[in-house]
Amino acid sequence: MTNKKKKKLDEKQADICSKFIRRFYGTVALNDLESRNVEDLFGSALSFWNFIYKRQLDETKIRIYNPDYERHGWQSTHTIIEIIHEDMPFLVDSISMEINRMGLTAHLIIHMGGMFVKRNKQGAISHVEFSGESITDNYIPEAPIYIEINRQTDPASLENIKENLQRVLTDVRMAVKDWMPMCKKVSESIKQLEKSKKHLDKDELAESVDFLKWIQDHHFTFLGVRDYELLKKDSESVLRPVLNSGMGILSEKHVGKVPISLLSRSPDAQQMTSSSQILTISKTNQRSTVHRPTSNDYLGMKLYDEKGNVVGERAFVGLYTHDAYNVNPIDIPFLRR
């Protein structure tokens, strides 16, 4: 960065920003940049830096705008999306899915994974390092994401895009944050079933436990878990969410407290609920907002009391991994039958 351009920044920021910009454009193919003039390249990077410079812990910042010279010091024929978020899995996949769902086209995506920063008490960046360099525990892994989409001029459309991206990033954060607790919930489920083994069909129990162990072995991406209690309401069986049992996208923030009528389920699902079958394996009618654009996979496990009566259900929502689809069916519990 030249001395003239450094004057546009606070003296303390200039060297850090120079390091950032070199990395920023170092991740982009040359043919994506060669048709752009230097002023716009500099203005774009500087604008992005100023946006990510301050961020509070766990804050997700999103800015969507149409740059022009008078207001921003650079211009583009595209609408710009700038995001700063804690670095974690599924970010770019999930954002790209949502952009496609909204019928928009991403002309350029720059994802600076592997950026680690130190921030002061005001949330301003004081140091920045990248993967492979000397990273200590007090650095925070962050993911600046820059996207150019087809131009949108309606302010309501820009706000709608922002709200949708915010919703998706909240889902990603909740799923990743609760990843380990959800995995532990599978181990807990296996123990619960084994405690009820004297009331359950021996073969059904063995196959159900094997399937739970199979999904736990890198064959399922857990996005949400929640327990439901089975109740009678006006002579109808309903499943009511258990308070504070939700994790990931099935946490209290995402799922309402309205009971689910078993009559609202498909006939097959109703039959499974009233049968001796321990697990219900199916698809939901809701498309995933995280990782892959497909309907969520659903695994329901019956919960039993000490006498072997069904008293509820534990719902696991997520996606089978790519590895799962490459496994020989004779090695997959239930399918091998």
Side-chain angles (χ1 to χ4, degrees):
M1 190 184 298
T2 65
N3 290 334
K4 180 180 179 181
K5 290 175 179 177
K6 282 185 178 182
K7 290 180 182 178
K8 294 188 177 184
L9 295 173
D10 179 273
E11 189 69 28
K12 294 180 180 179
Q13 289 190 53
D15 291 337
I16 304 175
C17 182
S18 295
K19 189 174 187 179
F20 168 83
I21 291 177
R22 284 194 296 271
R23 181 73 175 210
F24 179 68
Y25 285 124
T27 62
V28 187
L30 182 60
N31 59 0
D32 286 328
L33 303 176
E34 57 189 3
S35 63
R36 308 183 184 211
N37 67 57
V38 174
E39 288 298 321
D40 285 338
L41 288 173
F42 173 72
S44 171
L46 183 61
S47 177
F48 193 26
W49 168 259
N50 287 332
F51 174 69
I52 72 168
Y53 179 61
K54 283 193 175 181
R55 170 183 175 268
Q56 299 303 316
L57 188 64
D58 292 333
E59 180 185 12
T60 298
K61 290 179 65 177
I62 302 175
R63 178 169 68 165
I64 305 177
Y65 69 107
N66 295 311
D68 62 67
Y69 273 122
E70 290 186 3
R71 295 178 58 195
H72 307 102
W74 70 290
Q75 65 181 1
S76 174
T77 57
H78 298 133
T79 291
I80 309 302
I81 301 175
E82 297 173 342
I83 299 171
I84 182 66
H85 192 282
E86 184 179 351
D87 198 14
M88 58 183 59
F90 311 137
L91 287 177
V92 176
D93 289 348
S94 303
I95 290 169
S96 298
M97 278 166 42
E98 186 60 19
I99 288 173
N100 290 335
R101 187 197 66 79
M102 290 186 286
L104 304 172
T105 301
H107 297 274
L108 177 67
I109 299 179
I110 303 176
H111 170 221
M112 295 183 64
M115 188 178 90
F116 296 80
V117 302
K118 284 184 184 179
R119 293 183 179 273
N120 61 25
K121 293 180 180 179
Q122 289 73 43
I125 294 176
S126 58
H127 296 82
V128 61
E129 299 290 349
F130 295 97
S131 297
E133 300 182 26
S134 178
I135 309 297
T136 55
D137 291 341
N138 54 352
Y139 278 88
I140 304 168
E142 293 190 349
I145 301 172
Y146 172 94
I147 305 169
E148 296 182 0
I149 61 173
N150 45 309
R151 195 171 184 88
Q152 308 294 308
T153 56
D154 180 11
S157 296
L158 297 179
E159 185 60 29
N160 182 62
I161 295 169
K162 183 176 181 179
E163 289 177 359
N164 285 331
L165 291 177
Q166 187 75 55
R167 172 180 50 80
V168 166
L169 289 171
T170 298
D171 285 353
V172 171
R173 181 184 292 277
M174 296 299 292
V176 172
K177 179 177 72 72
D178 287 345
W179 172 265
M180 286 308 299
M182 288 190 286
C183 290
K184 289 179 181 178
K185 209 69 176 177
V186 180
S187 298
E188 179 187 311
S189 299
I190 292 171
K191 291 179 181 178
Q192 285 180 267
L193 288 179
E194 290 174 341
K195 286 182 180 179
S196 303
K197 62 182 180 182
K198 66 180 180 180
H199 303 291
L200 305 176
D201 178 88
K202 183 179 178 181
D203 291 339
E204 182 70 19
L205 173 62
E207 203 73 0
S208 297
V209 169
D210 282 352
F211 189 80
L212 289 171
K213 290 179 178 178
W214 181 81
I215 65 168
Q216 200 175 28
D217 186 26
H218 307 292
H219 292 127
F220 198 78
T221 299
F222 295 94
L223 300 180
V225 177
R226 194 164 195 180
D227 287 353
Y228 296 83
E229 56 181 334
L230 183 62
L231 302 170
K232 285 286 186 180
K233 183 179 181 182
D234 300 328
S235 72
E236 184 181 341
S237 295
V238 297
L239 289 169
R240 185 174 67 184
V242 175
L243 188 64
N244 298 324
S245 68
M247 300 179 188
I249 64 172
L250 295 183
S251 65
E252 266 64 23
K253 292 181 179 179
H254 287 63
V255 181
K257 299 178 181 178
V258 179
I260 301 171
S261 169
L262 297 188
L263 293 177
S264 66
R265 293 187 168 191
S266 69
D268 287 344
Q270 293 179 46
Q271 185 178 0
M272 289 178 187
T273 302
S274 59
S275 73
S276 61
Q277 190 168 327
I278 297 170
L279 299 181
T280 301
I281 302 169
S282 65
K283 286 275 190 181
T284 72
N285 58 5
Q286 189 174 32
R287 290 181 69 82
S288 175
T289 58
V290 180
H291 188 35
R292 292 205 311 270
T294 185
S295 295
N296 279 318
D297 293 296
Y298 175 86
L299 175 64
M301 188 196 85
K302 289 178 181 175
L303 300 173
Y304 303 90
D305 63 14
E306 294 179 353
K307 297 180 180 179
N309 299 311
V310 178
V311 293
E313 181 174 286
R314 176 163 296 152
F316 293 93
V317 171
L319 299 167
Y320 292 107
T321 63
H322 290 294
D323 287 345
Y325 288 104
N326 293 322
V327 176
N328 191 319
I330 65 174
D331 295 323
I332 301 176
F334 292 119
L335 284 183
R336 64 193 178 190
R337 289 180 171 182

